Amino acid sequence: MSLLQHLSTTISSSSSAFLVHSNFNSRTKNVSLQAKRNSIFKCVAAVPKESQTAYKTNVSRNGNLAKLQAGYLFPEIARRRAAHLLKYPDAQVISLGIGDTTEPIPEVITSAMRKRSQELSTLEGYSGYGAEQGEKSLRAAIASTFYTNLGIEDDDIFVSDGAKCDISRLQVVFGADVTMAVQDPSYPAYVDSSVIMGQTGQFRKDVLKFESIEYMKCTPENGFFPDLSGVCRTDIIFFCSPNNPTGAAATREQLTQLVKFAKDNGSIIVYDSAYAMYMSEDNPRSIFEIPGAKEVAIETSSFSKYAGFTGVRLGWTVVPKELLFSDGFPVAKDFSRIVCTCFNGASNIAQAGGLACLSPEGLKAMHEVIGFYKENTDIIVETFNSLGFNVYGGKNAPYVWVHFPGQSSWDVFSEILEKTHVVTTPGSGFGPAGEGFVRVSAFGYRSNILEACKRFKQLYK
Amino acid sequence: MSLLQHLSTTISSSSSAFLVHSNFNSRTKNVSLQAKRNSIFKCVAAVPKESQTAYKTNVSRNGNLAKLQAGYLFPEIARRRAAHLLKYPDAQVISLGIGDTTEPIPEVITSAMRKRSQELSTLEGYSGYGAEQGEKSLRAAIASTFYTNLGIEDDDIFVSDGAKCDISRLQVVFGADVTMAVQDPSYPAYVDSSVIMGQTGQFRKDVLKFESIEYMKCTPENGFFPDLSGVCRTDIIFFCSPNNPTGAAATREQLTQLVKFAKDNGSIIVYDSAYAMYMSEDNPRSIFEIPGAKEVAIETSSFSKYAGFTGVRLGWTVVPKELLFSDGFPVAKDFSRIVCTCFNGASNIAQAGGLACLSPEGLKAMHEVIGFYKENTDIIVETFNSLGFNVYGGKNAPYVWVHFPGQSSWDVFSEILEKTHVVTTPGSGFGPAGEGFVRVSAFGYRSNILEACKRFKQLYK
């Protein structure tokens, strides 16, 4: 391994803030890594001369990034998977970790992307910069498909390259001077983007939380819906339903409570509905089904898990024009400014794919793919149930949340990986209340799901 | 026009900070707009009941966004173009404003995107989440094509959805506590993203500059290269060559000065080389041609203007592992963290297109398209030369920078639009030193370029 490769590995392999739980001495580790790098700079002959001097600029590192200490959760899991493969080169590793889609995209959708690609080679079909907010036809199709009769209009929809990207753009809109709440556990992008924007204090290793973030505990005891009477007022409330990672979907009554809570406090809800189409039960698919939500909520969603667009990159965010900052300024106007200045619209080819997704044939095809993953979910749920585990989620989301009471979820993750070659996600990676759980993703080939479940049965019989 | 349409127009029509020059009373205007909106809320019967109450959240608007006052330059020009079309519905408007590509993408490139789209419908060809930093093959092809023998390695390359998006991501890396310098005039995304991140003070209407930004004047008098002896030290120096909007390309000697200046000050250069392939003269194509630049520079670039990818969305940024913050922490490591947390990689279909661009046939095809736009440039340069104007740029960039000494560039913009139905870009939109200039883009059909030049000749004969 060359020095440059070594440095590159170092760059991509830092551990997540939440990982600190299993790496209590990460500070020491970082120090020794630094020492290791310095010593390499001094002793490896192949290093270019300019590197040996280790010139440093006078630009201070952004203190907010330093707070993270740490890498994003999923790259860390990818790193551990890679390390496992190095250790067991012949292992048949099955990945039920990151939640990456595996089923091919239905032809009706890819044929639209092929067609759009081809048209880009013609004078009539060529298109350059589009509206930063997305193509009109797609905005209209999203509004009419997902927000029928909810009073959401085409121009409330902002098309994007994915919900994760929009979460960061929303944080840029909010800036450093807001406070925020998250479900605990929750998708790590909410907390990490908040830290990056400077909304938080330091990470407190004693409680495994960042200062100034309100963690709303979601556990089996409260049915994975926070006890709002114990939640402090914040400016922003991130809320994901069906939830990643717990798989819990909030009921109409719970969301009515949430909207009332936001309204009483003058807070803005950022509602992540990226798994809404996975719901089996009759819970709201959108926060805008709750009366009055347009005045207090933003909703972000994505084609990633509906159409297998994790690599194609297409999502959207709804910012109703009724949503106003305290001075009366429309949030949508600032979001549009950020979209125009920091983004240039989603790929036109991906947008053509998105439009095909929302045709009658596309919707049918998406439902079929979703149905396939839901069958996977049932298989995983049944497996862990049969082994006597308490299992949550699964019914309304492609994630199964398995309880290992009293155990460290990183230990469980490691044991499962070591003994079954199956990659899962440790619950504590999503926040301290995820400790003792492991998230099993239902995204995978059927044969892999069956094989993984067979191995789980061998391990836990 | 319904209220909602009205609000939507308001949302997309705010004027740029730099536009304040022609709108000195913009503050008053905003106030009256606000009053107008309020009065509409009160008196229009069709307004939904919840809007009438005008509920406001208690979340304060981000003060940095408020500093902008203002919309991004190019949407503002699009708005003025639309207003012109309303006034003259039958006018044959020719757009030489925003710099949007018009030539079809060569077949060799779109066929690769078609193929990738099709493969996404197969089990073998399907791919989900890719590496956030881009596909290995594309990173390698970019390194070997654009940075041959410059010591830039595959893992120094971060593939993105465009240079504008990467500029904002870099600003997120730097955070609020850095100072920055820009060429004046320059591409507005540098200044706007700096304001958004909170790096600046307020906009000063007397000098048409933001406080705390160092504006490096680039005029015919200094050959469009700043007098560095008069430039204050800043943490970050944005530098675009060939320059948008002036079209000037810095020489090797000038860039050597710039790198020395950065090194002496411990500054980081963000070098925008999005037009490098348009160079006719023997100037450096990359900042990394200058010895030592890897310790002080980042380079961002794009397929937009090379392959007509303005709508497909693909770019890249080079962050050499030699570039270190003052504490020795690699800038690349923080950039990678932001790319992983706030972005999820460029569309896999676009990346397949990028790889095809860098095949021998793709490179040849790109050079042909670039050659076509360069012929357009020559036609525009000759036209304005023949009319007795002082004309800059054009030789090494697809932009022609025409001098109208003593005139307001917004006035010139308006006169050209009114009398010839040709959209240009007012120089002052790029910074105060752009006053008295108009940028004419060479992106357009040949017939339109010839027609626009005919109209220029009629107007200025």
Side-chain angles (χ1 to χ4, degrees):
Chain A
M1 197 184 212
S2 76
L3 167 68
L4 296 179
Q5 283 171 323
H6 169 79
L7 278 177
S8 151
T9 309
T10 314
I11 283 170
S12 59
S13 71
S14 51
S15 59
S16 160
F18 287 127
L19 309 187
V20 171
H21 191 54
S22 66
N23 285 322
F24 244 88
N25 58 343
S26 69
R27 199 192 178 101
T28 331
K29 277 196 174 169
N30 283 340
V31 170
S32 65
L33 247 181
Q34 188 65 42
K36 197 170 166 190
R37 183 157 55 236
N38 288 344
S39 72
I40 290 174
F41 270 120
K42 280 171 196 150
C43 64
V44 177
V47 176
K49 198 176 173 189
E50 58 181 340
S51 296
Q52 286 181 32
T53 64
Y55 171 90
K56 298 182 190 82
T57 65
N58 287 331
V59 179
S60 299
R61 185 180 177 213
N62 182 346
N64 296 322
L65 288 179
K67 286 177 197 164
L68 290 169
Q69 299 170 331
Y72 190 69
L73 173 65
F74 295 112
E76 169 63 18
I77 289 176
R79 192 190 66 78
R80 295 201 181 205
R81 181 185 190 278
H84 184 77
L85 269 172
L86 275 182
K87 190 174 166 191
Y88 301 103
D90 299 327
Q92 297 292 315
V93 171
I94 297 173
S95 198
L96 306 181
I98 187 172
D100 193 6
T101 46
T102 52
E103 288 301 293
I105 300 174
E107 274 273 342
V108 57
I109 299 165
T110 56
S111 69
M113 297 196 285
R114 286 210 316 273
K115 184 161 174 281
R116 184 65 172 265
S117 300
Q118 185 148 29
E119 286 169 355
L120 292 173
S121 277
T122 66
L123 264 181
E124 310 71 38
Y126 179 76
S127 64
Y129 290 122
E132 290 89 345
Q133 300 86 352
E135 296 175 6
K136 265 183 192 303
S137 52
L138 181 56
R139 299 172 84 183
I142 290 170
S144 66
T145 304
F146 296 105
Y147 305 99
T148 326
N149 299 325
L150 297 182
I152 298 296
E153 314 220 332
D154 307 358
D155 58 2
D156 296 323
I157 311 279
F158 296 79
V159 176
S160 77
D161 58 336
K164 186 164 95 173
C165 314
D166 269 346
I167 288 162
S168 275
R169 281 188 281 265
L170 285 168
Q171 296 282 25
V172 172
V173 169
F174 299 138
D177 295 333
V178 296
T179 53
M180 63 164 272
V182 289
Q183 287 153 296
D184 176 18
S186 68
Y187 179 51
Y190 314 136
V191 165
D192 285 6
S193 60
S194 176
V195 174
I196 288 166
M197 283 308 297
Q199 297 166 2
T200 76
Q202 296 294 332
F203 186 70
R204 281 189 48 191
K205 292 183 183 175
D206 52 344
V207 288
L208 303 170
K209 296 177 181 180
F210 281 94
E211 288 166 353
S212 308
I213 288 186
E214 177 73 13
Y215 291 76
M216 304 183 295
K217 208 167 174 175
C218 297
T219 61
E221 289 69 38
N222 60 22
F224 297 102
F225 187 82
D227 174 9
L228 295 174
S229 70
V231 171
C232 290
R233 190 251 166 214
T234 58
D235 292 311
I236 313 296
I237 302 168
F238 279 91
F239 199 93
C240 176
S241 176
N243 187 264
N244 174 8
T246 69
T251 63
R252 194 169 305 270
E253 192 199 353
Q254 288 170 333
L255 291 180
T256 303
Q257 274 180 48
L258 181 69
V259 167
K260 182 178 183 311
F261 179 75
K263 209 157 236 176
D264 290 347
N265 286 307
S267 306
I268 294 174
I269 299 165
V270 178
Y271 190 80
D272 185 340
S273 66
Y275 299 96
M277 281 180 77
Y278 281 84
M279 268 195 267
S280 301
E281 296 182 311
D282 186 31
N283 297 320
R285 265 64 178 161
S286 163
I287 190 71
F288 299 118
E289 292 186 34
I290 309 302
K294 286 204 290 288
E295 294 173 348
V296 292
I298 290 166
E299 181 164 308
T300 187
S301 197
S302 169
F303 287 93
S304 286
K305 308 299 166 80
Y306 297 173
F309 269 29
T310 43
V312 172
R313 310 303 311 138
L314 195 69
W316 72 90
T317 289
V318 185
V319 189
K321 51 186 83 57
E322 290 85 348
L323 181 68
L324 307 176
F325 287 117
S326 56
D327 63 356
F329 196 86
V331 176
K333 192 166 173 175
D334 273 347
F335 188 63
S336 188
R337 185 65 161 90
I338 292 299
V339 162
C340 287
T341 309
C342 307
F343 182 56
N344 236 329
S347 176
N348 46 16
I349 299 170
Q351 292 192 66
L355 199 57
C357 286
L358 303 182
S359 68
E361 303 76 26
L363 282 166
K364 185 166 170 284
M366 285 202 297
H367 277 292
E368 280 168 10
V369 174
I370 290 167
F372 173 85
Y373 290 130
K374 283 167 73 70
E375 288 172 8
N376 282 353
T377 314
D378 291 342
I379 294 168
I380 297 167
V381 168
E382 279 162 27
T383 299
F384 281 99
N385 271 334
S386 75
L387 293 166
F389 287 92
N390 280 322
V391 179
Y392 304 94
K395 193 173 286 182
N396 297 308
Y399 297 122
V400 181
W401 189 239
V402 187
H403 205 177
F404 292 82
Q407 295 190 59
S408 141
S409 43
W410 274 107
D411 287 351
V412 177
F413 166 88
S414 299
E415 189 189 26
I416 292 175
L417 181 58
E418 183 70 25
K419 297 191 177 161
T420 71
H421 308 304
V422 177
V423 181
T424 57
T425 307
S428 61
F430 299 98
E435 185 54 291
F437 290 87
V438 160
R439 189 192 80 173
V440 184
S441 154
F443 295 112
Y445 301 135
R446 180 63 46 81
S447 56
N448 280 346
I449 299 289
L450 291 171
E451 173 63 23
C453 287
K454 200 174 110 188
R455 296 184 196 167
F456 292 147
K457 284 182 180 170
Q458 285 167 341
L459 177 62
Y460 292 117
K461 68 185 170 194
Chain B
M1 196 183 212
S2 75
L3 167 68
L4 297 178
Q5 282 172 327
H6 169 79
L7 277 177
S8 152
T9 309
T10 314
I11 284 169
S12 60
S13 69
S14 50
S15 59
S16 162
F18 286 128
L19 310 187
V20 173
H21 191 51
S22 66
N23 285 322
F24 242 88
N25 56 344
S26 69
R27 198 193 180 98
T28 331
K29 276 194 176 170
N30 283 341
V31 170
S32 64
L33 246 181
Q34 189 64 42
K36 198 172 165 188
R37 183 156 54 236
N38 289 343
S39 71
I40 288 173
F41 270 120
K42 280 173 198 147
C43 65
V44 177
V47 176
K49 198 176 173 191
E50 60 181 342
S51 298
Q52 287 182 30
T53 65
Y55 172 89
K56 299 182 188 86
T57 66
N58 287 331
V59 180
S60 300
R61 186 179 176 213
N62 182 346
N64 296 321
L65 288 179
K67 286 177 196 163
L68 291 168
Q69 301 169 331
Y72 190 70
L73 174 64
F74 295 112
E76 169 64 17
I77 289 175
R79 193 190 65 80
R80 295 201 180 205
R81 181 184 189 278
H84 184 76
L85 267 172
L86 275 182
K87 189 174 166 189
Y88 301 103
D90 299 327
Q92 296 292 315
V93 171
I94 298 173
S95 198
L96 306 181
I98 188 172
D100 193 8
T101 46
T102 52
E103 287 302 293
I105 301 174
E107 273 273 341
V108 57
I109 299 164
T110 55
S111 69
M113 297 197 285
R114 283 209 317 272
K115 185 160 173 283
R116 184 66 171 266
S117 301
Q118 185 147 29
E119 286 169 355
L120 291 174
S121 279
T122 65
L123 265 179
E124 310 72 38
Y126 179 75
S127 64
Y129 290 122
E132 290 88 344
Q133 301 87 352
E135 296 175 5
K136 266 184 190 303
S137 53
L138 180 56
R139 298 172 85 183
I142 291 170
S144 66
T145 305
F146 296 105
Y147 306 99
T148 326
N149 299 325
L150 297 181
I152 298 296
E153 313 220 334
D154 307 358
D155 58 2
D156 295 324
I157 311 279
F158 296 79
V159 176
S160 77
D161 58 336
K164 187 163 93 173
C165 314
D166 269 346
I167 288 162
S168 275
R169 280 188 281 265
L170 286 168
Q171 296 281 25
V172 171
V173 168
F174 298 138
D177 296 332
V178 296
T179 53
M180 62 164 276
V182 289
Q183 288 155 295
D184 176 18
S186 68
Y187 179 50
Y190 313 137
V191 166
D192 285 6
S193 60
S194 176
V195 174
I196 288 166
M197 283 307 297
Q199 297 166 2
T200 75
Q202 296 293 332
F203 186 71
R204 281 189 47 189
K205 292 184 181 173
D206 52 343
V207 288
L208 303 171
K209 296 177 181 179
F210 281 94
E211 288 167 352
S212 309
I213 289 186
E214 178 72 14
Y215 290 77
M216 306 184 293
K217 209 168 175 174
C218 297
T219 60
E221 288 69 38
N222 61 22
F224 297 101
F225 187 81
D227 174 9
L228 295 174
S229 70
V231 170
C232 290
R233 190 251 167 214
T234 59
D235 292 310
I236 313 297
I237 302 168
F238 279 91
F239 199 92
C240 177
S241 176
N243 187 266
N244 174 9
T246 70
T251 63
R252 194 168 305 269
E253 193 199 354
Q254 288 170 334
L255 291 180
T256 303
Q257 273 180 50
L258 181 70
V259 166
K260 183 178 184 306
F261 179 75
K263 209 157 235 175
D264 290 348
N265 287 306
S267 307
I268 295 175
I269 300 166
V270 179
Y271 190 79
D272 184 341
S273 66
Y275 299 95
M277 282 181 76
Y278 282 84
M279 268 195 269
S280 300
E281 296 182 313
D282 187 31
N283 297 321
R285 264 64 177 161
S286 164
I287 189 71
F288 300 118
E289 292 185 35
I290 309 303
K294 284 203 290 288
E295 294 173 349
V296 292
I298 289 166
E299 181 164 307
T300 187
S301 197
S302 170
F303 287 93
S304 286
K305 309 299 167 84
Y306 296 174
F309 269 29
T310 43
V312 172
R313 311 302 311 140
L314 195 70
W316 71 89
T317 289
V318 186
V319 188
K321 50 186 81 58
E322 290 86 348
L323 182 67
L324 307 175
F325 286 117
S326 56
D327 62 356
F329 196 87
V331 176
K333 191 167 172 174
D334 273 346
F335 189 64
S336 188
R337 185 65 161 90
I338 292 297
V339 161
C340 287
T341 309
C342 308
F343 182 55
N344 235 330
S347 176
N348 46 16
I349 300 170
Q351 293 192 65
L355 198 59
C357 286
L358 304 181
S359 68
E361 302 76 26
L363 283 165
K364 186 165 168 283
M366 285 202 297
H367 276 291
E368 280 167 12
V369 173
I370 291 168
F372 173 84
Y373 290 130
K374 284 168 71 72
E375 287 172 10
N376 281 353
T377 315
D378 291 343
I379 294 167
I380 297 167
V381 168
E382 279 162 25
T383 299
F384 281 99
N385 271 334
S386 75
L387 292 166
F389 287 91
N390 279 323
V391 180
Y392 304 94
K395 193 174 284 181
N396 296 309
Y399 297 121
V400 182
W401 190 237
V402 188
H403 205 175
F404 292 82
Q407 294 190 58
S408 142
S409 43
W410 274 107
D411 287 351
V412 176
F413 166 88
S414 298
E415 187 188 26
I416 292 175
L417 181 57
E418 182 70 27
K419 296 191 178 162
T420 71
H421 307 305
V422 178
V423 180
T424 58
T425 306
S428 61
F430 300 98
E435 185 54 291
F437 290 86
V438 160
R439 188 193 80 171
V440 184
S441 154
F443 295 112
Y445 300 137
R446 180 62 46 81
S447 56
N448 279 347
I449 299 289
L450 291 170
E451 173 63 22
C453 287
K454 202 174 110 188
R455 296 184 196 169
F456 292 147
K457 283 182 179 168
Q458 285 168 341
L459 177 63
Y460 293 116
K461 69 184 170 195

